[in-house]
Amino acid sequence: MAELNTIIAKFFDSSGKYVINLNVKSKYLGSSKENLKKTDVNGLFIFQASPDRMIEILAKPPNQKDYTSFKLINSSISSSEKNPIIINLPKTIEEYQRTSNVSPSKGIVSTLFKVLDSNGKAMVNFPIQSRPKGKGSSPDKYTNDQGIVEVLSSPNRDIEVLVLTSNDQFELKFSGNSGAGKEQPILIKLNEPYNNFKGFTLIKVLDKSGQRYAVQDVDVEMIFDNVNKKNFKVKNGQLKLTNWVGQKIKLTIFKPDGKPLDSVDFMVRRVKEEFIDLQLDVDVLNGKTAQNDPITPQRIEDTSAGEIISLSFFKEVYGTKKLFWHKTMNGRPTQNSTPEQFLPALNKGLLKYKMTDKLILCHFLAQIYHECDHFNTLIEYASGKDYDIGNFPPEVCNVPKSRSCRRRKQILAEGNTTPGDGPKYKGKGLIQLTWKSAYLKYKKYSGIDVVSDPDLLCNDLFHAVESAVWAFNEFKNADSLVRNGYIDFTKTYSDSYHLGVVEQVSKRINGGTNGLAERKSLFLKILREVEKRNGFK
């Protein structure tokens, strides 16, 4: 008789606390025989199984009628008390304990779904979309490491769930009523195996100035699924990776002297080819350390009144495509605007606020392009529910340090006190204004009643521009960062100095480093074009 393997799993709730006295059971996949236990004082579930068998681990949190399958493992997996198999519950124990079996008449209910491939494999970190029946889809959500995803909706609402196919389209896989929510996950089985979901990622490797890191045959180490390792080389400043949707990737690039740079993490999200800029903290251009930074004029003579930025300048920098075309614009008057239609509104906004300083303009133009997703939209893609008080009732602060409690406090502080304020006051305009408090400040400054009609910022090109100029100069005070960053407008500055200011401005506008490589690269592109033309004409 084969020697049994001891398997040790540890359960955590969504707050990161280990869970004691939890009802758990294990069984061989497809078998009716079960091993029932409770987790011990350290949250551990310890059991034995024959080697090389597929084992299903299930649990029944408080107030749940049924056991939920949380993990499928091979019994030969290595585990110990110091290195147990980690299993995460989708809610805190407190949230489970507050769960009522009474059907609510108002508020938000939670319905869980578990996504499996055609072979029964749980689809981890896998994208889905959800929506009220017949309405537009939400931004992508992702399953957890058990293939489970939570969909929030109103009680007794007809909802639909769509799941990604290998053709990179979302296909309707569930249509039904949310009722009072469902803790036992509804199974969604795909028509194809996991191996069909191969994604392609093209990574442009940039140095810290935003230029292509074109050193030949630079070593790269890739770790995926936190275990498997692969080594290859950069060719001409770019990498093309082939991995499966949901895989988490850690990339480490080595300098020519063999020293590793900081690792970068990302996840493959779609089947279609994705493009990622990977900026490294290293000064390397075409294989050589830059000896002397190029010197550029800081200030250029003002252009004539009436037109600050010419159409030819705009098209040279941003291209000739139609603007604000994304489906989120949903038939708004500004959807599919041409550059010819947009430029008069842009110039009018800049002139109204006397925003004619050339260097400040370079920074402004670099920031707005990323903030509105490359001029693809004037309205935030997310639904706005994460800014809505209706989704964060007072009970969330029963766990004071939870993310939900912190979010509730922020929502109240920012003035979104009425259910529905989240979607109403989500990001709009070129620099997407968010929260009711910001809309109130802009109304007070401009006299435009965007509080009553926040859609003015995405339905009217001039208001989209004007709000962005105000946000840059007044609300965020980014123009003062530019002025303080250069101090003396008569001096010239190196590219590396310019990019230091770009980094400060980007953090002020965005609150972090999101898209920083692109913002830097575009700033230099704009500055080079200004130098070539001696202005914005």
Side-chain angles (χ1 to χ4, degrees):
M1 185 175 181
E3 184 178 350
L4 296 178
N5 289 335
T6 298
I7 300 170
I8 303 177
K10 189 166 187 174
F11 280 81
F12 294 86
D13 69 5
S14 64
S15 72
K17 298 177 182 176
Y18 60 80
V19 183
I20 65 173
N21 206 33
L22 178 69
N23 291 310
V24 183
K25 63 184 180 182
S26 63
K27 64 178 184 176
Y28 296 119
L29 189 63
S31 172
S32 60
K33 293 183 178 181
E34 299 173 334
N35 171 38
L36 279 77
K37 282 187 177 182
K38 290 180 181 288
T39 54
D40 65 15
V41 293
N42 295 311
L44 297 175
F45 171 56
I46 303 173
F47 64 100
Q48 292 185 316
S50 299
D52 204 26
R53 296 285 300 274
M54 293 307 295
I55 303 291
E56 189 175 15
I57 302 177
L58 306 93
K60 186 162 77 72
N63 288 331
Q64 307 309 296
K65 294 181 179 179
D66 303 308
Y67 279 83
T68 297
S69 177
F70 281 99
K71 201 81 170 178
L72 189 64
I73 62 170
N74 187 292
S75 60
S76 296
I77 190 171
S78 176
S79 63
S80 65
E81 290 192 20
K82 290 185 177 180
N83 187 29
I85 298 163
I86 302 300
I87 301 178
N88 297 299
L89 304 180
K91 293 184 177 183
T92 66
I93 289 300
E94 291 80 3
E95 287 171 329
Y96 281 117
Q97 290 170 340
R98 292 197 301 270
T99 300
S100 170
N101 292 323
V102 178
S103 177
S105 59
K106 59 182 180 179
I108 299 296
V109 298
S110 167
T111 306
L112 298 181
F113 294 87
K114 184 166 185 174
V115 183
L116 307 173
D117 77 348
S118 59
N119 296 321
K121 175 183 172 65
M123 300 296 280
V124 175
N125 302 323
F126 197 71
I128 75 150
Q129 294 180 352
S130 63
R131 66 189 183 195
K133 188 173 182 179
K135 300 292 183 65
S137 297
S138 70
D140 294 357
K141 299 179 176 70
Y142 294 88
T143 59
N144 63 15
D145 62 358
Q146 286 92 43
I148 296 172
V149 66
E150 181 183 41
V151 173
L152 301 177
S153 68
S154 302
N156 301 308
R157 184 73 180 266
D158 288 331
I159 60 174
E160 295 177 334
V161 174
L162 302 90
V163 182
L164 189 72
T165 68
S166 61
N167 292 327
D168 213 60
Q169 303 294 321
F170 282 87
E171 181 180 84
L172 181 65
K173 299 295 288 186
F174 172 84
S175 181
N177 193 279
S178 63
K182 189 170 177 61
E183 297 294 340
Q184 177 69 20
I186 298 169
L187 293 181
I188 293 178
K189 194 166 186 179
L190 307 183
N191 300 326
E192 46 192 334
Y194 170 71
N195 285 343
N196 283 11
F197 292 89
K198 187 177 291 185
F200 301 92
T201 307
L202 182 66
I203 299 178
K204 293 181 182 178
V205 186
L206 309 174
D207 77 354
K208 68 181 181 182
S209 72
Q211 303 297 315
R212 180 175 291 188
Y213 185 69
V215 179
Q216 294 299 316
D217 298 328
V218 173
D219 291 323
V220 180
E221 178 184 85
M222 177 175 72
I223 298 176
F224 51 95
D225 295 335
N226 298 319
V227 176
N228 300 304
K229 184 184 294 186
K230 183 177 180 181
N231 295 292
F232 47 94
K233 294 180 182 292
V234 173
K235 296 290 185 182
N236 196 30
Q238 64 183 29
L239 306 169
K240 189 167 185 178
L241 305 180
T242 303
N243 296 90
W244 281 268
V245 172
Q247 279 193 321
K248 292 184 177 180
I249 311 295
K250 179 186 288 291
L251 280 180
T252 304
I253 294 180
F254 294 82
K255 293 195 292 185
D257 61 6
K259 293 180 180 178
L261 298 164
D262 290 340
S263 297
V264 177
D265 298 307
F266 69 95
M267 187 175 79
V268 181
R269 298 180 182 273
R270 300 294 287 271
V271 177
K272 69 180 180 182
E273 189 168 72
E274 292 188 287
F275 299 89
I276 297 174
D277 284 347
L278 174 57
Q279 190 162 28
L280 309 175
D281 187 20
V282 61
D283 269 325
V284 179
L285 299 176
N286 298 318
K288 298 180 180 178
T289 302
Q291 297 297 320
N292 296 296
D293 287 318
I295 296 176
T296 58
Q298 189 278 330
R299 186 178 175 87
I300 301 155
E301 291 303 315
D302 287 340
T303 56
S304 59
E307 180 186 75
I308 298 175
I309 299 170
S310 73
L311 183 61
S312 68
F313 182 96
F314 184 92
K315 287 184 175 181
E316 184 63 31
V317 172
Y318 301 113
T320 60
K321 69 173 186 177
K322 288 188 175 181
L323 314 176
F324 319 124
W325 56 268
H326 195 272
K327 63 182 180 181
T328 52
M329 295 297 289
N330 195 25
R332 296 176 184 276
T334 48
Q335 189 175 31
N336 290 320
S337 295
T338 64
E340 286 82 359
Q341 293 169 318
F342 178 64
L343 256 293
L346 178 61
N347 281 314
K348 182 180 177 182
L350 297 175
L351 285 165
K352 178 175 179 179
Y353 289 84
K354 297 181 174 59
M355 193 173 181
T356 57
D357 186 282
K358 298 307 164 293
L359 197 51
I360 291 179
L361 266 177
C362 286
H363 282 279
F364 176 76
L365 293 173
Q367 293 295 325
I368 61 173
Y369 185 67
H370 189 88
E371 287 297 302
C372 61
D373 188 24
H374 313 130
F375 292 130
N376 290 337
T377 185
L378 289 171
I379 186 167
E380 184 178 351
Y381 293 145
S383 67
K385 291 180 180 178
D386 198 40
Y387 315 136
D388 199 279
I389 195 64
N391 294 328
F392 297 86
E395 298 81 47
V396 301
C397 285
N398 289 343
V399 184
K401 294 184 179 180
S402 67
R403 188 264 181 190
S404 294
C405 184
R406 293 196 304 271
R407 193 58 156 172
R408 174 179 171 81
K409 291 177 180 178
Q410 182 185 17
I411 288 170
L412 292 172
E414 296 289 0
N416 287 14
T417 55
T418 303
D421 280 353
K424 185 176 182 179
Y425 298 113
K426 70 177 185 176
K428 297 182 177 76
L430 287 176
I431 294 179
Q432 299 191 341
L433 219 57
T434 309
W435 303 110
K436 187 176 182 179
S437 59
Y439 283 77
L440 284 164
K441 290 175 182 176
Y442 179 59
K443 176 186 175 181
K444 182 177 180 180
Y445 183 85
S446 68
I448 302 167
D449 191 4
V450 293
V451 176
S452 299
D453 188 5
D455 281 348
L456 282 171
L457 301 189
C458 51
N459 289 343
D460 185 286
L461 291 176
F462 174 69
H463 294 321
V465 171
E466 185 182 34
S467 62
V469 177
W470 170 79
F472 189 92
N473 288 339
E474 303 291 335
F475 189 46
K476 302 284 188 177
N477 290 319
D479 64 332
S480 65
L481 282 180
V482 178
R483 297 182 193 281
N484 292 337
Y486 294 99
I487 303 175
D488 185 354
F489 278 170
T490 64
K491 293 178 62 176
T492 55
Y493 297 85
S494 68
D495 277 6
S496 60
Y497 191 96
H498 283 304
L499 294 178
V501 181
V502 173
E503 188 164 341
Q504 294 179 52
V505 172
S506 299
K507 289 179 180 178
R508 178 68 61 84
I509 293 295
N510 187 259
T513 58
N514 182 35
L516 181 58
E518 183 179 72
R519 296 172 201 258
K520 288 182 174 180
S521 178
L522 185 59
F523 173 85
L524 291 180
K525 181 180 180 181
I526 293 168
L527 188 60
R528 296 289 94 84
E529 193 64 21
V530 168
E531 292 167 350
K532 183 173 74 175
R533 294 167 178 252
N534 194 30
F536 291 86
K537 289 297 186 76

